[in-house]
Amino acid sequence: MPVSQVPPAIKSVLVLEDNFLIALDMEEMLVALGVTSVDVATTKSKAMELIADHTYDFAILDINLGDDTSFAVADALMARGISLGFTSGYGELLALPSHLRDVPRIDKPFSEGTLGSLIATAAPSRDM
């Protein structure tokens, strides 16, 4: 699969990113990668509202949300069977709970290519 595209099954993506400018940049990259619907949440509570009201093919969560983390959002997504990946500006410094350690992660700053690779790595194959 070319780096310039995400798996065809990934049409709608939830982005949880507390920095609005980074979130907008990520939205542009996702659209360029072929995602047709991107919802952006800048807070954990907004992300939880969106998850309750919508179905997503994938979610990208910033681990560190100021004085909070996105771990509860990750748990809610996993409970609904929605694949996800993390972004972090802290590299390996931020400890993940043991049940989230296998979730793919990319470091900031990221590019369209690394974002596409994150989705391709984390999204399940739907060739059934």
Side-chain angles (χ1 to χ4, degrees):
M1 179 178 331
V3 171
S4 60
Q5 196 153 356
V6 297
I10 306 298
K11 296 293 180 204
S12 62
V13 174
L14 170 66
V15 170
L16 173 56
E17 167 59 64
D18 62 338
N19 181 311
F20 191 67
L21 293 176
I22 293 174
L24 287 178
D25 199 29
M26 196 181 313
E27 181 178 17
E28 284 181 18
M29 288 182 201
L30 288 167
V31 169
L33 287 166
V35 175
T36 55
S37 173
V38 180
D39 285 341
V40 174
T42 56
T43 64
K44 183 166 81 174
S45 60
K46 180 62 176 174
M48 294 299 255
E49 284 176 34
L50 288 168
I51 294 166
D53 294 340
H54 300 83
T55 300
Y56 296 99
D57 298 318
F58 195 79
I60 301 171
L61 311 179
D62 181 13
I63 293 174
N64 188 334
L65 304 171
D67 60 353
D68 206 349
T69 68
S70 62
F71 301 148
V73 176
D75 290 340
L77 289 162
M78 290 168 62
R80 288 169 175 78
I82 299 171
S83 299
L84 65 120
F86 286 123
T87 65
S88 175
Y90 295 89
E92 299 296 323
L93 297 177
L94 202 56
L96 294 174
S98 59
H99 71 286
L100 297 176
R101 288 192 187 133
D102 291 334
V103 174
R105 171 170 60 173
I106 57 173
D107 292 330
K108 296 177 188 175
F110 44 80
S111 67
E112 196 173 293
T114 55
L115 202 54
S117 293
L118 174 70
I119 295 171
T121 300
S125 175
R126 297 191 182 161
D127 297 333
M128 295 182 259

